Amino acid sequence: MSDLLLEMRKLRVEARGADGATNAIVNNLDLKLARGEVLGLIGESGAGKSTIGLAAMAYARSGCKITGGEIIFDGSDLMLQDADVLREMRGVRAAYIAQSAAASFNPAKRLNRQVCEVAVRHGVMDEDAAVARAIELYEKLDLPDPRNIGRRYPHQVSGGQLQRVMSAMAMTCGPDLLVLDEPTTALDVTTQIEVLATVRDLIRQNNNAALYITHDLAVVAQIADRVMVLRYGELVEEGPTDKILNDPDEAYTKELVSAREAVIKPRVQVALPDNPVIAIRNVTASYDGKVDVLKNVDVVIGKGETVAIVGESGSGKSTLARVVTGLLPPREGHVEFQGKRLSQALKQRSRDDLRRIQMIYQMPDVAMNPRQSVAEIIGRPLTFYFGLTGRKRDERVRELLAQIDMDPVFAERLPGQLSGGQKQRVCIARALAAEPDIIICDEVTSALDQVVAAGILKLLDRLQKETDIAYMFITHDLGIVKNIAERTVVMYQGDVVEQGSTVDIFTPPQKEDYTRKLIASVPEMRTDWLDEVLRERGDLFEIDAKAHT
Amino acid sequence: MSMVDDKVPEALPRRSFDWRFFAEMPLASKVGLAIIAINAFAVIFAPWIAPYSETEMFRDLGNWAPPSAEHWLGSDQIGRDMLTRIIYGARTTILIALCATLLSFSMGILAGFTAAVMGGIVDNVLSRIVDALMAIPTLILALVVISVLGTEIYILVLVIAVLDSTRVFRLSRAIAMDVAVMEFVEAARLRGEGLWWIMRREILPNTIMPLIAEFGLRFSFAFLFIAALSFLGLGVQPPYADWGGMVRENAQVISYGIPAPLYPAGAIALLTIGVNLVVDYILARQNRSAAAAFEEQEL
Amino acid sequence: MLNLLLRRLALGVMTLWVVSVIIFIGTEILPGDVATAILGQSATEENTAAIREQLGLNRPPHERYVAWLGAFLQGDLGMSLTSRRPITDQIGFRLENTLLLAGLAALIAVPLAICLGLVAAIKQGTIFDRGISISTLLTISVPEFFIGYVLIFFVAVQWRWLPSMSSVNTRMDIWDKLPLLILPALTLTLVTVAHMMRMTRAAVLSVMNSPYIEMAELKGIRNWRIVVQHALPNVLSPIINVVILNLAYLVVGVVVVEVVFTYEGLGKYMVDAVSKRDVPVVQACGLIFAMVYVGLNMTADILAILANPRLRHPK
């Protein structure tokens, strides 16, 4: 293969833990990448995909070390080169695009200084030529005011734009290889689609070879020619993108493909409930008394019903949860619980009111006291609300553990001794222990890997069937909403844009432009999705101008 | 088990004190622990282990006698046994520092936690008072107060405790604030738990290690401070044996090549090094950079 | 940003005012009575009353405070009770000596510490680096007078390189004083340099794991250039803070060191005054020390604001 650009043979990368023990985060990995080819590396956290991407540039993060194998870049083994040769190659022949542009730009230096640094420091061009090249790239990447944007500091530019400036930085020296490490993950969906499109065009125009690293199969499907599925630092399956998406061989890949698509709720039309459990009436709320984060919000949730509150960052969806729980008394409006008006502030609510509204958080790590055992965490509401103690309490804790599919032996463990999914289960059990009428779920799956998240969603659904509990399900992830919620509320900058039956909201044509744009931006598991969306974009992205000023 | 999803960390022993705290201690910190133990021993058993009596003068020996088999560290400015004086001096210096630290800790933590949990006006008033006290270098403020109140031991303890408690206040308030914004505290508030329960059951257990480390730092601060005051002649007054004072009393002869003041000064240095070695380890164990702690330490 | 700076300046002035109040309260309103304090054992009712009259202690405290502060602002520091001479005359020479000593120590310590700290950050994990962390622990633990006497014992007495006592007088010019200043300045340097060095290193290393440093490495930038150009600009404010904290520490440490070397400075003057219960002198010295300290802290904050690109270039 004469057009082979990068080859890894039996790559092994080890990490040294705090206790001095080493463990392999990448083991025995073979990888081939031809010129002009885009290879997707996909896997969940701990799969070693970023480590492989960095190893392509013969780089290991601190605490890690490439301990075995060969990395052959354009015919020479990088493992045998000395530091100066590697340094000359980095940035010029191989360039890296990181997940968070906001964190990857030096906050103390102007953008142009950083973009041009590669070319100038490696002696590829002088300062003036490099700036001219940068401006040319900014233009190509549709950045506003390309002549002057480089004079700004990173904090003066929006996240989506920064990500594009970083792409420009990677392209200045015209590298043969691009390593893209989750370049769109930190962005809101509507911004992600923009960046995804520009990044793809860039790779195609320049005929770069690229390693595209992501946890999201739907994203990689739009860009990659071929996909490698990784787990625990080893290869699970490799093949053309179409094959992996539509006809995977391995069970793990199948699980990964279906995780997003898990249909839990029947997709039927539902009407507004007559006697809602919770009714949020014309709530306007503000943290500082000046800027309203919620504007006249009106939402009802019925018994045994799941209502999804969706929106991007800054939409006010989490603030809504704070109003319902009483942490943030609204400026106007009120919250009703089973027809009875609730006190605005937490302190004035009765213990029974508090019991009936429970909450589950995004980060189970910080939602549980690290010094209390699972039994104490689940047992406290039992004592507090029902006066259960001693054997009766232990008995009930065991029942609750069984309800969340966990063995009773976990009762004596501390949160630090549980996996991410188990922690979230314990949080669910703690909420259940109070025997509430409604549970507010605030982004409960976004910190979890997709397969684990799917398990949590199924558990929540089963519990709802058993106890007829209502969920207020706050999320930014529209992909899961249509599979779990009867009704959906779309929020944007503190306003309810649209609400109704999930089927209605998701069936085109949508009534509201923003809803349409939001739903269209959710990547789908097929290779032609991005092209299709871009063809139809038209007026869809005019809102963009508003969102990014 | 139907759903064991991702990798589960292995179960560790819990509850009772984690003995690995000692087992994993590096040599330096073990040395530090030994130094502390020796000093504690000297404080408790001074009359039994000291070779001579605290005030006995050896006429035949004379002043500033060099070390000998009978008098390991020689004699002091009026012919008393230096080693004996140092052993008794440990009592005064260390007990004063310990009392001051305990006092400053009780005050500082109580005020700090109260400020963090109550917030609002209480926090504001307490914080502003502390800001004002901290705007003046501790030693200077202490000198000002001592010039009027005198050098009674209880006054020294009180002055050091009050000045020192400002730093305990800052730290315990900051730690409590960090913990108080965690979601498990919010969860407790949403459950309807009272203030006292939240402080005692949710916050305190999560702040105990940094507070122990801080106790070590504050102790070495109070200890160096009382030593410095005594050295300046403004701390413990004769006839009590006290390390800082002993340095002062013997200082003049250093110019003649007699190392007498170096013995008590060395004893002071040794104990603080010991404490800091142990504190360093505690801080490293709970991943708080030791550098940050050093930054807070200041005389 | 100008707003922020002005607010910090205003806060500094406020702090100074509060400090003057505290020092005044500390000496005048605390239960100990100045008149009895001065007279000690020999206090009788008559001579106590006489002293009170003489010091104006019979006037209400707020009046005395206003008079004291007013005079202070005009450069009149009052009369010393023991020498019965204006404090202003006695303080000038000593303040100069103290500033000379602290300044010399700072001049050696600050550049040395920052350079060594950067080198330690670049050579992270080497023997040099470990040496730093041990020496920091030692110097932070050891009292100044121990370092001072060890230096005297070896450098001045055993090896006879320098004089052991640093007695200066008004007739000496700066070049006469310089050899006398070396040992005390060295003591102060030793006390502060390791701490500053370690903090500089820690500040640089704290950003060395951040994504933008990784990005610079992946752009193939040289190691020292990454430290100097990418890390350093982002840790200016913590470094400034540490430097100023240590300068403030010098101001205080100078008190003990001056006593060790019997160096005629403000610190030794104050300590002598405290043991003689010469309250007006204590007040004056205390206020001057506190002013320097508050001034330094304010400078640190202002420099930190100036070093922050987010504040210099708002959105």
Side-chain angles (χ1 to χ4, degrees), chain A residues 325 327 354 361 366-371 376 380 384-385 405 407 412-414 417-419 421-422 452, chain B residues 1-3 5-9 11-12 14-15 183-184 186 190-193 197 201-202 205-206:
Chain A
T325 54
L327 284 170
L354 294 175
Y361 295 89
V366 290
M368 291 186 288
N369 191 332
R371 305 260 164 189
E376 286 170 289
R380 180 61 192 169
F384 189 77
Y385 294 126
D405 296 328
D407 195 276
E412 285 313 309
R413 291 213 184 169
L414 292 175
Q417 299 161 347
L418 302 174
S419 73
Q422 289 170 337
V452 179
Chain B
M1 284 295 304
S2 61
M3 278 297 295
D5 32 32
D6 27 356
K7 277 185 174 165
V8 182
L12 304 167
R14 56 178 301 270
R15 288 283 133 190
E183 276 163 355
F184 65 82
E186 184 181 305
L190 286 181
R191 193 158 61 228
E193 304 279 8
W197 199 90
R201 299 297 296 276
E202 305 283 0
N206 287 291

Side-chain angles (χ1 to χ4, degrees), chain C residues 303-314:
Chain C
L303 288 177
I305 293 172
L306 291 176
N308 185 337
R310 277 168 196 273
L311 294 173
R312 257 187 300 138
H313 308 276

Side-chain angles (χ1 to χ4, degrees), chain C residues 24 28-29 55-72:
Chain C
F24 186 79
E28 305 256 324
I29 294 178
L55 295 178
L57 291 180
N58 294 327
R59 283 186 291 157
H62 61 269
E63 263 181 41
R64 273 185 286 135
Y65 170 72
V66 172
W68 172 69
L69 191 66
F72 187 91

Side-chain angles (χ1 to χ4, degrees), chain A residues 515-526:
Chain A
T515 315
R516 188 164 6 125
K517 180 185 161 198
L518 197 60
I519 290 170
S521 303
V522 180
E524 290 173 25
M525 285 284 189
R526 50 195 169 87

Side-chain angles (χ1 to χ4, degrees), chain A residues 238-267:
Chain A
E238 181 178 3
T241 310
D242 262 328
K243 162 99 168 47
I244 296 285
L245 284 187
N246 302 320
D247 184 24
D249 293 329
E250 298 294 321
Y252 177 68
T253 315
K254 283 177 189 154
E255 215 178 334
L256 215 53
V257 172
S258 65
R260 275 189 88 85
E261 300 299 305
V263 180
I264 294 167
K265 285 284 169 72
R267 292 177 175 167

Side-chain angles (χ1 to χ4, degrees), chain A residues 136-189:
Chain A
E136 179 193 329
L137 283 164
Y138 297 154
E139 257 164 14
K140 238 189 221 168
L141 287 162
D142 284 333
L143 280 161
D145 196 7
R147 302 217 140 264
N148 297 312
I149 193 167
R151 297 202 191 126
R152 299 200 199 166
Y153 281 86
H155 69 272
Q156 296 170 317
V157 176
S158 79
Q161 289 170 0
L162 263 191
Q163 206 70 30
R164 278 180 265 175
V165 175
M166 184 157 60
S167 308
M169 180 160 79
M171 298 305 290
T172 41
C173 294
D176 300 307
L177 171 69
L178 275 180
V179 178
L180 302 105
D181 192 352
E182 306 254 17
T184 64
T185 308
L187 305 172
D188 277 331
V189 274

Side-chain angles (χ1 to χ4, degrees), chain B residues 192-209:
Chain B
E193 304 279 8
L195 259 187
W196 179 238
W197 199 90
I198 290 178
M199 276 221 269
R200 201 167 44 93
R201 299 297 296 276
E202 305 283 0
I203 295 183
L204 193 63
N206 287 291
T207 55
I208 211 89
M209 275 323 248

